Amino acid sequence: VRAVVVSQAPPFPHATDRGDGTASEVLLQAPCMNGSGIEFVFIDPLEAFVPEFSVLFQSCPGLKWIAVHNTNLREMAGWIPRFLANQSAWHLVLKGSHLWRPVELARHVPRRREWQLWARGD
């Protein structure tokens, strides 16, 4: 199984010398183009990870498993399960939660962190 782990990573820079984002997208697409490509992705980003996930999702036809941490934090990866739920081939197979250390920010951050594991069924 070939996997990608995105954990506590800053957003991937999309700016290039040409200003069209092409070079950055190729770097994200490259693991998907080699051999059987990426089959498993674990996502635990510090930010929403929208353009990066979109590139991986569209560029990796062999993607079969997606694990998402902090699904209850809408500012981070919480949008990804809602997106997958609207895709006919993707199914929630496992979910859970755990307690995390207190985090002090201007906005409320829940101590209970939720995670989900999705599988493609086609």
PDB file of all heavy atoms in Angstrom, residues 46-68:
ATOM      1  N   LEU A  46      -3.235  21.566   9.765  1.00  0.00           N
ATOM      2  CA  LEU A  46      -3.455  22.699  10.662  1.00  0.00           C
ATOM      3  C   LEU A  46      -4.465  23.688  10.096  1.00  0.00           C
ATOM      4  O   LEU A  46      -4.949  24.550  10.809  1.00  0.00           O
ATOM      5  CB  LEU A  46      -2.132  23.433  10.911  1.00  0.00           C
ATOM      6  CG  LEU A  46      -1.105  22.675  11.739  1.00  0.00           C
ATOM      7  CD1 LEU A  46       0.191  23.456  11.819  1.00  0.00           C
ATOM      8  CD2 LEU A  46      -1.634  22.377  13.122  1.00  0.00           C
ATOM      9  N   GLU A  47      -4.738  23.579   8.804  1.00  0.00           N
ATOM     10  CA  GLU A  47      -5.688  24.477   8.146  1.00  0.00           C
ATOM     11  C   GLU A  47      -6.639  23.659   7.299  1.00  0.00           C
ATOM     12  O   GLU A  47      -6.594  22.434   7.307  1.00  0.00           O
ATOM     13  CB  GLU A  47      -4.929  25.515   7.332  1.00  0.00           C
ATOM     14  CG  GLU A  47      -4.075  26.413   8.221  1.00  0.00           C
ATOM     15  CD  GLU A  47      -3.437  27.553   7.473  1.00  0.00           C
ATOM     16  OE1 GLU A  47      -3.862  27.846   6.352  1.00  0.00           O
ATOM     17  OE2 GLU A  47      -2.497  28.144   8.013  1.00  0.00           O
ATOM     18  N   ALA A  48      -7.469  24.303   6.528  1.00  0.00           N
ATOM     19  CA  ALA A  48      -8.552  23.622   5.808  1.00  0.00           C
ATOM     20  C   ALA A  48      -8.081  22.621   4.758  1.00  0.00           C
ATOM     21  O   ALA A  48      -8.763  21.654   4.479  1.00  0.00           O
ATOM     22  CB  ALA A  48      -9.466  24.644   5.155  1.00  0.00           C
ATOM     23  N   PHE A  49      -6.936  22.822   4.115  1.00  0.00           N
ATOM     24  CA  PHE A  49      -6.368  21.853   3.184  1.00  0.00           C
ATOM     25  C   PHE A  49      -7.258  21.640   1.950  1.00  0.00           C
ATOM     26  O   PHE A  49      -7.324  20.561   1.393  1.00  0.00           O
ATOM     27  CB  PHE A  49      -6.143  20.517   3.931  1.00  0.00           C
ATOM     28  CG  PHE A  49      -5.184  19.573   3.268  1.00  0.00           C
ATOM     29  CD1 PHE A  49      -3.847  19.886   3.161  1.00  0.00           C
ATOM     30  CD2 PHE A  49      -5.621  18.366   2.763  1.00  0.00           C
ATOM     31  CE1 PHE A  49      -2.961  19.003   2.562  1.00  0.00           C
ATOM     32  CE2 PHE A  49      -4.745  17.483   2.157  1.00  0.00           C
ATOM     33  CZ  PHE A  49      -3.410  17.803   2.060  1.00  0.00           C
ATOM     34  N   VAL A  50      -7.953  22.684   1.533  1.00  0.00           N
ATOM     35  CA  VAL A  50      -8.912  22.550   0.429  1.00  0.00           C
ATOM     36  C   VAL A  50      -8.236  22.324  -0.926  1.00  0.00           C
ATOM     37  O   VAL A  50      -8.514  21.321  -1.585  1.00  0.00           O
ATOM     38  CB  VAL A  50      -9.884  23.751   0.375  1.00  0.00           C
ATOM     39  CG1 VAL A  50     -10.791  23.665  -0.828  1.00  0.00           C
ATOM     40  CG2 VAL A  50     -10.689  23.835   1.659  1.00  0.00           C
ATOM     41  N   PRO A  51      -7.363  23.216  -1.397  1.00  0.00           N
ATOM     42  CA  PRO A  51      -6.789  22.966  -2.736  1.00  0.00           C
ATOM     43  C   PRO A  51      -5.932  21.706  -2.777  1.00  0.00           C
ATOM     44  O   PRO A  51      -5.947  20.971  -3.760  1.00  0.00           O
ATOM     45  CB  PRO A  51      -5.973  24.221  -3.038  1.00  0.00           C
ATOM     46  CG  PRO A  51      -5.766  24.884  -1.739  1.00  0.00           C
ATOM     47  CD  PRO A  51      -6.883  24.475  -0.830  1.00  0.00           C
ATOM     48  N   GLU A  52      -5.215  21.431  -1.692  1.00  0.00           N
ATOM     49  CA  GLU A  52      -4.336  20.264  -1.666  1.00  0.00           C
ATOM     50  C   GLU A  52      -5.142  18.967  -1.740  1.00  0.00           C
ATOM     51  O   GLU A  52      -4.813  18.056  -2.500  1.00  0.00           O
ATOM     52  CB  GLU A  52      -3.472  20.271  -0.394  1.00  0.00           C
ATOM     53  CG  GLU A  52      -2.550  21.453  -0.290  1.00  0.00           C
ATOM     54  CD  GLU A  52      -3.199  22.695   0.359  1.00  0.00           C
ATOM     55  OE1 GLU A  52      -4.418  22.694   0.615  1.00  0.00           O
ATOM     56  OE2 GLU A  52      -2.473  23.656   0.601  1.00  0.00           O
ATOM     57  N   PHE A  53      -6.213  18.882  -0.944  1.00  0.00           N
ATOM     58  CA  PHE A  53      -7.046  17.678  -0.981  1.00  0.00           C
ATOM     59  C   PHE A  53      -7.708  17.517  -2.344  1.00  0.00           C
ATOM     60  O   PHE A  53      -7.794  16.403  -2.871  1.00  0.00           O
ATOM     61  CB  PHE A  53      -8.114  17.712   0.117  1.00  0.00           C
ATOM     62  CG  PHE A  53      -8.999  16.504   0.085  1.00  0.00           C
ATOM     63  CD1 PHE A  53      -8.567  15.305   0.618  1.00  0.00           C
ATOM     64  CD2 PHE A  53     -10.251  16.552  -0.499  1.00  0.00           C
ATOM     65  CE1 PHE A  53      -9.373  14.169   0.571  1.00  0.00           C
ATOM     66  CE2 PHE A  53     -11.062  15.436  -0.552  1.00  0.00           C
ATOM     67  CZ  PHE A  53     -10.626  14.238  -0.014  1.00  0.00           C
ATOM     68  N   SER A  54      -8.153  18.606  -2.926  1.00  0.00           N
ATOM     69  CA  SER A  54      -8.797  18.546  -4.238  1.00  0.00           C
ATOM     70  C   SER A  54      -7.851  17.984  -5.297  1.00  0.00           C
ATOM     71  O   SER A  54      -8.244  17.152  -6.119  1.00  0.00           O
ATOM     72  CB  SER A  54      -9.277  19.933  -4.660  1.00  0.00           C
ATOM     73  OG  SER A  54     -10.236  20.404  -3.756  1.00  0.00           O
ATOM     74  N   VAL A  55      -6.588  18.414  -5.269  1.00  0.00           N
ATOM     75  CA  VAL A  55      -5.606  17.909  -6.229  1.00  0.00           C
ATOM     76  C   VAL A  55      -5.373  16.418  -6.004  1.00  0.00           C
ATOM     77  O   VAL A  55      -5.376  15.624  -6.950  1.00  0.00           O
ATOM     78  CB  VAL A  55      -4.278  18.698  -6.143  1.00  0.00           C
ATOM     79  CG1 VAL A  55      -3.173  18.011  -6.937  1.00  0.00           C
ATOM     80  CG2 VAL A  55      -4.484  20.123  -6.621  1.00  0.00           C
ATOM     81  N   LEU A  56      -5.188  16.001  -4.747  1.00  0.00           N
ATOM     82  CA  LEU A  56      -4.980  14.576  -4.459  1.00  0.00           C
ATOM     83  C   LEU A  56      -6.192  13.748  -4.868  1.00  0.00           C
ATOM     84  O   LEU A  56      -6.062  12.692  -5.485  1.00  0.00           O
ATOM     85  CB  LEU A  56      -4.698  14.371  -2.965  1.00  0.00           C
ATOM     86  CG  LEU A  56      -3.315  14.762  -2.464  1.00  0.00           C
ATOM     87  CD1 LEU A  56      -3.256  14.669  -0.952  1.00  0.00           C
ATOM     88  CD2 LEU A  56      -2.257  13.882  -3.095  1.00  0.00           C
ATOM     89  N   PHE A  57      -7.382  14.213  -4.535  1.00  0.00           N
ATOM     90  CA  PHE A  57      -8.605  13.475  -4.820  1.00  0.00           C
ATOM     91  C   PHE A  57      -8.807  13.281  -6.320  1.00  0.00           C
ATOM     92  O   PHE A  57      -9.186  12.198  -6.771  1.00  0.00           O
ATOM     93  CB  PHE A  57      -9.803  14.202  -4.204  1.00  0.00           C
ATOM     94  CG  PHE A  57     -11.069  13.407  -4.224  1.00  0.00           C
ATOM     95  CD1 PHE A  57     -11.294  12.407  -3.287  1.00  0.00           C
ATOM     96  CD2 PHE A  57     -12.041  13.655  -5.176  1.00  0.00           C
ATOM     97  CE1 PHE A  57     -12.463  11.663  -3.311  1.00  0.00           C
ATOM     98  CE2 PHE A  57     -13.217  12.909  -5.211  1.00  0.00           C
ATOM     99  CZ  PHE A  57     -13.427  11.910  -4.269  1.00  0.00           C
ATOM    100  N   GLN A  58      -8.526  14.306  -7.095  1.00  0.00           N
ATOM    101  CA  GLN A  58      -8.723  14.227  -8.540  1.00  0.00           C
ATOM    102  C   GLN A  58      -7.572  13.527  -9.256  1.00  0.00           C
ATOM    103  O   GLN A  58      -7.761  12.951 -10.320  1.00  0.00           O
ATOM    104  CB  GLN A  58      -8.907  15.629  -9.122  1.00  0.00           C
ATOM    105  CG  GLN A  58     -10.190  16.279  -8.678  1.00  0.00           C
ATOM    106  CD  GLN A  58     -10.297  17.717  -9.165  1.00  0.00           C
ATOM    107  OE1 GLN A  58      -9.469  18.195  -9.926  1.00  0.00           O
ATOM    108  NE2 GLN A  58     -11.325  18.412  -8.717  1.00  0.00           N
ATOM    109  N   SER A  59      -6.376  13.559  -8.679  1.00  0.00           N
ATOM    110  CA  SER A  59      -5.187  13.039  -9.363  1.00  0.00           C
ATOM    111  C   SER A  59      -4.850  11.595  -9.023  1.00  0.00           C
ATOM    112  O   SER A  59      -3.993  11.012  -9.668  1.00  0.00           O
ATOM    113  CB  SER A  59      -3.968  13.896  -9.016  1.00  0.00           C
ATOM    114  OG  SER A  59      -4.195  15.229  -9.386  1.00  0.00           O
ATOM    115  N   CYS A  60      -5.494  11.040  -8.012  1.00  0.00           N
ATOM    116  CA  CYS A  60      -5.143   9.696  -7.543  1.00  0.00           C
ATOM    117  C   CYS A  60      -6.282   8.710  -7.803  1.00  0.00           C
ATOM    118  O   CYS A  60      -7.090   8.434  -6.913  1.00  0.00           O
ATOM    119  CB  CYS A  60      -4.813   9.726  -6.058  1.00  0.00           C
ATOM    120  SG  CYS A  60      -3.416  10.769  -5.630  1.00  0.00           S
ATOM    121  N   PRO A  61      -6.358   8.136  -9.003  1.00  0.00           N
ATOM    122  CA  PRO A  61      -7.455   7.220  -9.299  1.00  0.00           C
ATOM    123  C   PRO A  61      -7.415   5.939  -8.469  1.00  0.00           C
ATOM    124  O   PRO A  61      -8.434   5.282  -8.290  1.00  0.00           O
ATOM    125  CB  PRO A  61      -7.265   6.910 -10.793  1.00  0.00           C
ATOM    126  CG  PRO A  61      -5.842   7.198 -11.073  1.00  0.00           C
ATOM    127  CD  PRO A  61      -5.448   8.300 -10.131  1.00  0.00           C
ATOM    128  N   GLY A  62      -6.257   5.581  -7.928  1.00  0.00           N
ATOM    129  CA  GLY A  62      -6.138   4.376  -7.103  1.00  0.00           C
ATOM    130  C   GLY A  62      -6.446   4.600  -5.630  1.00  0.00           C
ATOM    131  O   GLY A  62      -6.332   3.673  -4.823  1.00  0.00           O
ATOM    132  N   LEU A  63      -6.819   5.815  -5.261  1.00  0.00           N
ATOM    133  CA  LEU A  63      -7.101   6.133  -3.855  1.00  0.00           C
ATOM    134  C   LEU A  63      -8.289   5.322  -3.367  1.00  0.00           C
ATOM    135  O   LEU A  63      -9.376   5.381  -3.943  1.00  0.00           O
ATOM    136  CB  LEU A  63      -7.374   7.632  -3.712  1.00  0.00           C
ATOM    137  CG  LEU A  63      -7.489   8.186  -2.302  1.00  0.00           C
ATOM    138  CD1 LEU A  63      -6.211   7.936  -1.509  1.00  0.00           C
ATOM    139  CD2 LEU A  63      -7.779   9.677  -2.354  1.00  0.00           C
ATOM    140  N   LYS A  64      -8.076   4.525  -2.297  1.00  0.00           N
ATOM    141  CA  LYS A  64      -9.121   3.646  -1.783  1.00  0.00           C
ATOM    142  C   LYS A  64      -9.497   3.948  -0.339  1.00  0.00           C
ATOM    143  O   LYS A  64     -10.584   3.605   0.102  1.00  0.00           O
ATOM    144  CB  LYS A  64      -8.676   2.193  -1.895  1.00  0.00           C
ATOM    145  CG  LYS A  64      -8.530   1.697  -3.315  1.00  0.00           C
ATOM    146  CD  LYS A  64      -8.017   0.284  -3.318  1.00  0.00           C
ATOM    147  CE  LYS A  64      -7.856  -0.361  -4.657  1.00  0.00           C
ATOM    148  NZ  LYS A  64      -7.532   0.410  -5.784  1.00  0.00           N
ATOM    149  N   TRP A  65      -8.605   4.551   0.418  1.00  0.00           N
ATOM    150  CA  TRP A  65      -8.820   4.799   1.848  1.00  0.00           C
ATOM    151  C   TRP A  65      -8.435   6.235   2.179  1.00  0.00           C
ATOM    152  O   TRP A  65      -7.379   6.702   1.756  1.00  0.00           O
ATOM    153  CB  TRP A  65      -7.963   3.861   2.693  1.00  0.00           C
ATOM    154  CG  TRP A  65      -8.266   2.418   2.490  1.00  0.00           C
ATOM    155  CD1 TRP A  65      -7.658   1.561   1.611  1.00  0.00           C
ATOM    156  CD2 TRP A  65      -9.249   1.652   3.164  1.00  0.00           C
ATOM    157  NE1 TRP A  65      -8.216   0.324   1.706  1.00  0.00           N
ATOM    158  CE2 TRP A  65      -9.188   0.338   2.656  1.00  0.00           C
ATOM    159  CE3 TRP A  65     -10.175   1.951   4.168  1.00  0.00           C
ATOM    160  CZ2 TRP A  65     -10.018  -0.666   3.109  1.00  0.00           C
ATOM    161  CZ3 TRP A  65     -10.996   0.945   4.625  1.00  0.00           C
ATOM    162  CH2 TRP A  65     -10.922  -0.351   4.098  1.00  0.00           C
ATOM    163  N   ILE A  66      -9.279   6.898   2.979  1.00  0.00           N
ATOM    164  CA  ILE A  66      -8.987   8.248   3.458  1.00  0.00           C
ATOM    165  C   ILE A  66      -9.299   8.291   4.950  1.00  0.00           C
ATOM    166  O   ILE A  66     -10.437   8.061   5.366  1.00  0.00           O
ATOM    167  CB  ILE A  66      -9.808   9.325   2.723  1.00  0.00           C
ATOM    168  CG1 ILE A  66      -9.497   9.306   1.226  1.00  0.00           C
ATOM    169  CG2 ILE A  66      -9.535  10.708   3.327  1.00  0.00           C
ATOM    170  CD1 ILE A  66     -10.341  10.274   0.412  1.00  0.00           C
ATOM    171  N   ALA A  67      -8.286   8.562   5.760  1.00  0.00           N
ATOM    172  CA  ALA A  67      -8.461   8.748   7.196  1.00  0.00           C
ATOM    173  C   ALA A  67      -8.343  10.245   7.480  1.00  0.00           C
ATOM    174  O   ALA A  67      -7.407  10.891   7.015  1.00  0.00           O
ATOM    175  CB  ALA A  67      -7.397   7.979   7.973  1.00  0.00           C
ATOM    176  N   VAL A  68      -9.309  10.774   8.217  1.00  0.00           N
ATOM    177  CA  VAL A  68      -9.334  12.205   8.496  1.00  0.00           C
ATOM    178  C   VAL A  68      -9.407  12.411  10.007  1.00  0.00           C
ATOM    179  O   VAL A  68     -10.310  11.899  10.668  1.00  0.00           O
ATOM    180  CB  VAL A  68     -10.548  12.896   7.825  1.00  0.00           C
ATOM    181  CG1 VAL A  68     -10.447  14.407   7.993  1.00  0.00           C
ATOM    182  CG2 VAL A  68     -10.654  12.521   6.361  1.00  0.00           C
TER     183      VAL A  68
END
